[in-house]
Structure formats: structure tokens, C-alpha cells
Amino acid sequence: MGGNQTPLAYDYTVARLFLYATILFGIIGMTIGVFIAFQMAFPELNYLFGEYGTFSRLRPIHTNGVAFGFTVSGIFATWYYVGQRVLKVSMAESPFLMVVGKLHFAVYILTILLAVVTLFAGITTSKEYAELEWPLDLLVVVFWVLWGVSIFGLIGIRRERTLYISIWYYIATFLAVAMLFLFNNMAVPTALVSGHGDWYHSVSWYAGTNDALVQWWYGHNAVAFVFTTPIVAMIYYFLPKESGQAVYSYKLSLLSFWGLMFVYLWAGGHHLIYSTVPDWMQTMGSVFSIVLILPSWGSAINMLLTMKGEWNQLQSNPLIKFMVLGSTFYMLSTLEGPIQAIKSVNALAHFTDWIPGHVHDGTLGWVGFMIIASMYHMTPRLFKRELYSKSLMETQFWLQTIGIVLYFSSMWIAGITQGMMWRATDEFGNLSYSFIDTVVVLHPYYTVRAIGGLLYLTGIFIWAYNIYKTITDGRKLEDKELNVNRSPMSAN
Amino acid sequence: MFHWLEERPFFFAVGVFTVVSFAGLIEILPNFAEASRPTVGTKPYSTLELAGRHVYIADSCNACHSQLIRPFKSETDRYGMYSLSGEYAYDRPFLWGSKRAGPDLHRVGAYRTTDWHENHMWEPVSVVPGSIMPAYKHMFSNQADIETAYAEAVTVNKVFNVPYNTNITMRDGSTANVKLPATYDEAKADVLAEAKIIASGMKNQDVKDAVERGEIPQIVALIAYLNSLK
Amino acid sequence: MELGQIQAYAYFFFTAFLVVSLYAYIFHLYRAEKKGTRNYEKYGNLALNDEVSTNPIETVGGAREPLKK
């Protein structure tokens, strides 16, 4: 680097691309989610789009859309932002990393678009969150490796010697997802072996109980390493930055990291309680799920204490609202999960609506809120414009919060009702209810849940609109107005 | 020592990886051989049943249905004998599901019939008022992909030694032998013969005609699969 | 039973090792701070002073020149 050119600045080209993707896939994934929620309450909605519009075709598109579209784009967007900043190195300094970043984005977008098309066509392996067939799996491997190159490449040319805790979490995400994904998707393409049939069809390496074990080892830890660790990476950066308060205890954040790394992977067995996997594994899954409360709450409490002495910001800054409520939801769902993993509770809760209820306080409350807040925080810096409207953010916050509360409260009631009715017997020991009785009774709860989802989705549209208006109409900012912690936002 | 690790991204990554992979190594690997042994009376899927299984998967029936009966009286009363590990020996992938919007289907073949399924898949509410299950009318006209099912049977036979063309002792002491012909044309003929038996239990004239013409509508394959779940 | 035993031993020893490591790590974090060799809490500021123009807390040795204001 010579002496007298323009001063070095962070280069957010790739971060901007992933920000657009986050918003796009958020809208697609959640719109489908709300639609299928309404289908559960009003089954006539299954017939709007022929065979492509049934609940069962759409559900994998919803889950893949929000997990691998919305969330993973959010993770990448924040990586290409936070990574540079805490390592104090600009992507502009490395043309190589710039190319890798853009290629990463291109392959990623291609993969997700193909995923949507193939899932609509009913091409799926059926394994939850691993539905994509092998050709797409290979593309996933490609963009994942590119992301790895980008992470370690940027670390390789860093100025700051110490890796900030967020970087630890990004590294863990990268490694663990790579391992889980590879093992769970091992399959044999049938056309290669037999010379017949669809070229993209494959059959799993594992059968029956083994397949279930590998799948839930993956499935649970996809939750760990897509919905937890990268989101923790986000909050460890964005909450301190936005509030101007360094993380409450850096030591605690390091300890929780190792705790989480060790404990999380054991907990997958709790998806298989009372199934045909060996008892000791079920017990292990149960016990470790309880232990998991410790590192999870370690991180969550650390985040809340970061706000110590600055709680007034909760009132004045909507971004702080999102993040603080996000960590509260994190605490809720990391307590609720272990409770559901207790064997006797699991006997009641498993296979009921309480489980999607639990998933959604984590995903809507924690993952969703953190990504929303992170994108809001990044937008002024990425586009050098003031956030368009604070009051819209407030409206969004309250709509979405009410939405989440409607969602999980209705699903708690639905799940427990359903579980109790399945096992209820009359005085002679005969089952009291036929299955359909337990379906019909859920109609009101399904309706409330769908409305909750609709409120949340409305918030997502407000978010997209607010960011769009920021980019096009927001007041232009000078560099020095950007060298602040609190995100610049317009009061109206 | 710890700080040394924290400053070296490569070794740090190795450390993280070791800790993260530990659970998988201990929990999953060692049980593999044991869990994959079939129970007595478990036989591989026929090509038609596999094609039906593919239909089940393509329409993600597993999004609403489990195939795992847990060992509680309330479940065995409702669905039959609780599930055993070895019964899934030929299930690639497993289809336990994670949510029961509808009932468990692991033994549905034991108490539902071909014509019941026919009516139910065409219009669930006509059979069970109040049902929220979607109707799957497209399965009555779309064709099942028999060739891909054949490809899968050949693959699992070659790669995983799934016992086709082998005598298997059933629970009642009889023997069964699931055929897997060496050529696709022979396999097609077998599949058609099996499909005709299913179609003879159905009333939908279009489906019957299609099978007469040598076609296999998806619904026929799906019902063959559902009937095999016992 | 062979494999089962190996599994049990591996599990026991590796878990014990990790638990010891975790406690050693806690000890290390606090001792380093007390002895003044390394104050981990200052790394919390990495999120706050993150403009490219601010100086790193510790620079990477050798290759890269620290940025001047």
C-alpha cells in the first residue's frame, strides 16, 4: 500500500448483495410459511395451485427458504461486514478475496433458486432440512468452501492479532455445518450404479434407525450451528456496537463458547426419545439437553448485562429493543427445549404442535429479531444513508412481538391439548378420542397461529420497505456521521 | 497455552473441530452394525412399493404423518404393536416424521384397505369429515416413475446387499422372496402384474383403464406402499 | 462388546480431559488477569473501536504495518 491515495475504507460490496438476498428470501420463506399456516386452519387453501400448492409440497420450501435462504444469507451478510471490521482489514486490500466473495454469492444464489424449483417439483430426499438432492448438495459444498476461503483468507491478512469472539462463532459455524452436512447427505446416486432412472435421484447411505440417528444428529445441530452460533456471533458484535457498551464479561463469552461447542452436539438424541434408538443414547440426549441450559444462558445473560446502566436505550432505540427481546427469546427457547427433552414431558410433547411452537419462539424471536436488527444496523453504513424511519421500526417491533406471542401461546395450548387427547382413556381403559377429534379441536388455535404469523410477516414487509426507502430516499451521511455507535435514524 | 491457541486460527479451528465431532464419534458410529439388522419377517420393498414410497416422499406425506409407534399403551391401542428397530432395515431414507398432524402410518396396511385409500386420497373429507388432509387428485392421473424405483432397488441390492431374490422367513414361518429381475423390461412386467392386483380393488375407471394399457398411475404405487406398511 | 468398551473408555477419558481443560481455562483467564500478563476484558473493545483508521489492540507481528492516523 503506497502512501498518498484515498484513505483505506471497508468494502461492503458483497455484504450489500447478501443483504438484498436476506430480505428477498425472508419475504419468500415467510410468505409461504404464513400461507401453509392458514392451510392447516382452512384446508381449502390447498387447492389454489394444483399439485404444487399442497401443504406438504410447500412445507419444505418454507423451512429451506427461511433456514438456508433468509438465515444463511443473513449470516453471510453479517460476516462480510463484521469480519472486516473486527479484523481491521478491508476486502479492497485483496482482489482475490473480492473475487471469492462475489463467486460465493453467485453460487449461493444459484443453489437457492434451484432449490426452490426442485422442491416445487417434489424432488426431495425427505430428510428434514437436508431435502436437496445430491447435485444441489454439491453446489452447497462449493459455496460453503468458498465461504471458508473467505473467512480464513481474511483472517490471514488481518491487522488485529486477536480474533474477536464473534469470529470464533463464525469459524465454529463454518466447521460444524460442513461436518454435519457432509455426513448426513451421504447418498448413492442410483443412476450411476444401475444405469436407469432419473440422474439426480439418490438413496441414503444409512438405513432406518441409523438414518434417523444421523439425521437428528444433523437436524438438531443444524439448529445449533445455523440458528444459534452465527446468531450469537451477530449479537456479540451488534449489541455492544449499537449500545456503545463493551460486552459485559469477555471471559464469560469465551467460556460459554467452549461449553456450547462441547455440549450441543450430544443433545440431538432428544429428537428420538422413545424411538428405536438405544436407551442410553436417548438418556444422553435428555441429560445433555439440560446441561445445555448453562452455556446458553451464559451467553444470554452476558448479553443482557451488557446493557447494564444503559437500560434507558431500550426505550429510545428500537434496534436495542429488537436485540434485547431477541436474547430474551433465546433464553426462553433454550429453557423450553430442555424441558421438552425430559423423557416424561417428551412423551406428551413429541409429535405435537408444541414442537413447532418451540421452534418458532427461537426462530422468530431470536434469529429473526437479530437478523432484522443486524440488517438495520448495517444499512446506514453500507449505503451511507440515514435509516428512513424510526417510527416504522417501532411499529414493526410491536406487530412482530404480538405475532410471536400469538404464535407460541396458541401452539402451547394446541400441543398440550393434542398430547392429552391422544392418551386420554375412559373408565374402562379405552381411548376416549378418535384421531379426527384431536384434529378438529385444534382449528381455533391454528387460526390464531396463522394470524400471529401474518402479523410477523407484515413486520417483515415493513422492514423491507424501510430499508428500501433508506437506500433510495434516506438522508445522505458524511463519513464522520457514520463513525458512531448508535445507528443514525430519522425520527419520523 | 490457551492464548497460544487463540492466536492461531488454524489450530484453533482444529480444536473446535475435535470438540464438535466428539459426540458424533461416540454416539453414532459404534451402534451402526447392530441397528441395521432386520427383524424376522422384514422383507425388502418390491419395485412397485418403492415407486409408491417415492410418491410418498415427493409429496412429503412425512410432513404430517409419523411412522414410529412409541411403546405406550395409548399408542399401541391406536396403531398396533410398537415399532422395532429391525423393521426399518430397508428404509432408505427413514420416514419417522416429526409431527403428527395426521395419525401414525407405520402399520396402516394392517387396518386400511385399497378402496379405503382410494376414496381417502381422492377426497379425505368424504371419508373422514373434518379432515385437514389435502386431497391428492393429481396422483390419479400422474404416472409413477417405475424406472427410478427399479434403479433404486438395483442400487441397494448391489451396494448395500439388500436381499432381493432371496428366501426370507416370515413371522408365520412361511417364506417370501422379493423378485428383482436382471433387466428393466422384466421388472416392468412384474410391476404391472402387481399393479393389476391393486387396480382390481379400485373403482376409478380411469385408473383401471390406465393399468390395462400398461401404465402405472401414482396412486396405484402409493397404495401398494401403504398396504405394505404392517 | 469390544467396540462398546472402547467407546465407553474413549468417552470417559475424553470427557474427563475436556472438563479438566475447561477448568484450567477458567483458571488461566483469571490468573492472567490478576498477574497482569493479559487482560481479556480489553478485547471487548474490539467491537467498539472497529473503524479501519483506529489502531489495533495488538498488531499481527511482522508483515503488516500498523495503520497511521
Side-chain angles (χ1 to χ4, degrees), chain B residues 114-120 122 127 140 198-209 223:
Chain B
T114 298
D115 72 322
W116 192 92
H117 287 309
E118 178 184 10
N119 296 329
H120 185 254
W122 180 261
V127 184
F140 289 72
I198 303 280
S200 70
M202 298 176 64
K203 342 181 268 311
N204 186 306
Q205 202 52 48
D206 293 341
V207 171
K208 283 171 166 310
D209 292 346
I223 292 178

Side-chain angles (χ1 to χ4, degrees), chain A residues 1 8-10 85-86 88-90 93 157-164 168 236-237 240-241 244-252 254-255 258-259 262 266 280-281 284 288 482-485, chain C residues 7 11 14-16 18-19 21-23 25-31 33 38-61 64-67:
Chain A
M1 285 174 293
L8 184 62
Y10 294 125
R85 296 187 72 103
V86 299
K88 294 216 172 78
V89 54
S90 167
E93 294 176 75
I157 60 167
R158 72 192 189 279
R159 286 204 181 72
E160 183 65 64
R161 182 154 65 180
T162 301
L163 304 181
Y164 184 61
W168 290 29
Y236 272 131
Y237 173 80
K241 182 71 185 176
Q245 300 263 93
V247 60
Y248 173 71
S249 164
Y250 197 77
K251 291 190 284 297
L252 181 56
L254 302 181
L255 290 173
W258 288 110
F262 176 62
W266 292 92
W280 70 270
M281 282 185 209
M284 201 79 116
F288 272 98
L482 282 166
N483 285 354
V484 290
N485 294 322
Chain C
Q7 177 188 7
Y11 171 65
F14 198 64
T15 307
L18 287 175
V19 170
S21 309
L22 189 68
Y23 278 94
Y25 189 47
I26 298 177
F27 182 69
H28 158 79
L29 289 179
Y30 281 90
R31 199 187 51 168
E33 194 170 314
R38 179 166 306 281
N39 178 2
Y40 275 88
E41 295 305 328
K42 73 171 184 283
Y43 298 132
N45 293 325
L46 284 175
L48 299 177
N49 305 324
D50 62 342
E51 289 304 329
V52 82
S53 53
T54 51
N55 280 322
I57 294 182
E58 295 154 358
T59 47
V60 178
R64 294 209 148 239
E65 54 194 281
L67 283 180

Side-chain angles (χ1 to χ4, degrees), chain B residues 10-69:
Chain B
F10 175 75
F11 292 101
F12 172 78
V14 172
V16 172
F17 190 76
T18 316
V19 175
V20 179
S21 51
F22 177 47
L25 284 174
I26 297 293
E27 260 190 347
I28 300 177
L29 281 185
N31 193 52
F32 252 58
E34 211 169 310
S36 51
R37 211 171 298 134
T39 40
V40 174
T42 303
K43 57 182 185 1
Y45 294 105
S46 74
T47 305
L48 183 64
E49 288 161 4
L50 269 186
R53 206 167 185 269
H54 291 169
V55 174
Y56 188 96
I57 290 173
D59 269 300
S60 295
C61 307
N62 52 300
C64 287
H65 290 286
S66 61
Q67 288 190 25
L68 176 76
I69 303 167

Side-chain angles (χ1 to χ4, degrees), chain B residues 51-110:
Chain B
R53 206 167 185 269
H54 291 169
V55 174
Y56 188 96
I57 290 173
D59 269 300
S60 295
C61 307
N62 52 300
C64 287
H65 290 286
S66 61
Q67 288 190 25
L68 176 76
I69 303 167
R70 297 179 297 167
F72 307 136
K73 183 167 182 300
S74 59
E75 301 222 341
T76 52
D77 280 3
R78 197 182 290 279
Y79 305 119
M81 165 70 180
Y82 59 84
S83 307
L84 301 172
S85 184
E87 294 180 275
Y88 301 108
Y90 307 121
D91 276 18
R92 292 169 193 270
F94 79 114
L95 290 172
W96 294 1
S98 56
K99 170 79 208 307
R100 279 183 191 151
D104 190 275
L105 298 179
H106 194 203
R107 306 202 190 283
V108 70

Side-chain angles (χ1 to χ4, degrees), chain A residues 383-418:
Chain A
F383 299 95
K384 298 197 185 229
R385 285 179 188 262
E386 186 180 65
L387 282 168
Y388 175 70
S389 164
K390 180 179 169 190
S391 55
L392 275 181
M393 280 188 217
E394 297 277 357
T395 315
Q396 174 190 352
F397 174 81
W398 288 110
L399 276 180
Q400 293 192 311
T401 303
I402 296 168
I404 300 170
V405 172
L406 290 181
Y407 196 114
F408 74 72
S409 52
S410 59
M411 288 299 96
W412 279 351
I413 304 174
I416 293 170
T417 306
Q418 205 175 25

